[in-house]
Each structure stands twice: as C-alpha cells, then as structure tokens.
Amino acid sequence: MTLPAIPDPIIAVRQLLLSDEILMGTVQGVHAYQLPQAAPEPAVVLWAISATADDVLEGSPIGVDFATIQIDVHGPQRDVTRKASRQIRNVLTGFRGISATCYIKCLQQGSGISDLADRVSTGSDQARCITTQDFVCTFDSINNYPSTA
C-alpha cells in the first residue's frame, strides 16, 4: 500500500469514523472543516484546532507531529448527539495504525464531552444541540507507515 507524501490527520480520523458501522447508523454524515448548508442531521464535523511542527533531534526532523482535533456532533436532540459522541470516543481512543493518509501513533481524548445549544433562528424557541470533544492525534509526518525494524 502506497500512502500520499503529506499526512493529514483530519482525513485519517474522518476515514476511521466513516468506517464505523455503529456511528454511521446514528449520524447522516462526517464532514471535515465545515457543516455544509442544509446538511442532514445528526452530522459530525471535524476541525483541526492546533498542530505542531516537526520535532527535531540534533538538527534532523524526527517525524513526530501532534494535532488537536475538535469533533462536533450537530443534531436536533441531545440524546442523539451524546450517543454519537460516545461512539466516536469508543472508535478513536487508543487507536494506533494506518488510516487514509497517515500512520497514527496514538489518538487520545483531550477533553470530555460538552453540550452546547444553538438557536435555529431569531425569534424561534427551537434549539439544536451540539456536542463537542477534543482528541490529540500523534502521527508520523515523515514515514507515514509503522517501522518494520
């Protein structure tokens, strides 16, 4: 298997979520960087909220990068968004391996699950729920594959 030269942890995490049958039975889609207008809900949105450059050891990059990924679940009811968020936590926590474009060394939950409410429109009593959590992804930015040594 040949992987692209540039690893993207957002694409890798999105691929992991799309491959989970339980999650995909709960949500209508998994999106990177934005929730498309009029997207069916419940829906998952992934955001890269921080990243680090290559760590360097004696002047040479060692290929270890970190990214903090915020994962939001948008939906009409809190119980649905929380159910999806718990399944996301089950799928991602402790994952190590190749997914899509990069070799993930470790995925760990960085924050607990938080609930937010957002008004649908001005003058409306309707609210939609957003459940959010953060994950820290450690990945190999040079090799993109596990060492066989």
Side-chain angles (χ1 to χ4, degrees), residues 7-89:
D8 186 337
I10 291 287
I11 292 171
V13 169
R14 181 175 183 265
Q15 185 63 41
L16 284 171
L17 297 179
L18 286 170
S19 68
D20 185 70
E21 292 178 13
I22 295 171
L23 179 65
M24 295 314 297
T26 305
V27 300
Q28 299 296 314
V30 179
H31 309 280
Y33 300 109
Q34 66 180 348
L35 182 63
Q37 195 169 22
E41 293 182 347
V44 177
V45 182
L46 301 136
W47 307 88
I49 57 174
S50 71
T52 63
D54 277 330
D55 286 332
V56 175
L57 185 62
E58 295 183 10
S60 300
I62 59 173
V64 177
D65 266 333
F66 302 91
T68 302
I69 300 169
Q70 178 178 316
I71 302 176
D72 299 338
V73 180
H74 296 252
Q77 299 169 329
R78 180 171 291 146
D79 61 333
V80 174
T81 61
R82 286 188 70 78
K83 178 181 177 184
S85 291
R86 284 191 300 271
Q87 184 60 22
I88 289 167
R89 181 184 59 208

Side-chain angles (χ1 to χ4, degrees), residues 76-129:
Q77 299 169 329
R78 180 171 291 146
D79 61 333
V80 174
T81 61
R82 286 188 70 78
K83 178 181 177 184
S85 291
R86 284 191 300 271
Q87 184 60 22
I88 289 167
R89 181 184 59 208
N90 292 342
V91 170
L92 298 182
T93 300
F95 177 82
R96 178 186 173 107
I98 295 174
S99 177
T101 59
C102 68
Y103 169 47
I104 296 174
K105 294 184 176 190
C106 187
L107 266 168
Q108 290 297 321
Q109 190 172 26
S111 70
I113 297 171
S114 300
D115 296 311
L116 309 168
D118 190 14
R119 296 273 175 229
V120 173
S121 62
T122 305
S124 172
D125 287 339
Q126 274 189 317
R128 48 189 264 253
C129 297

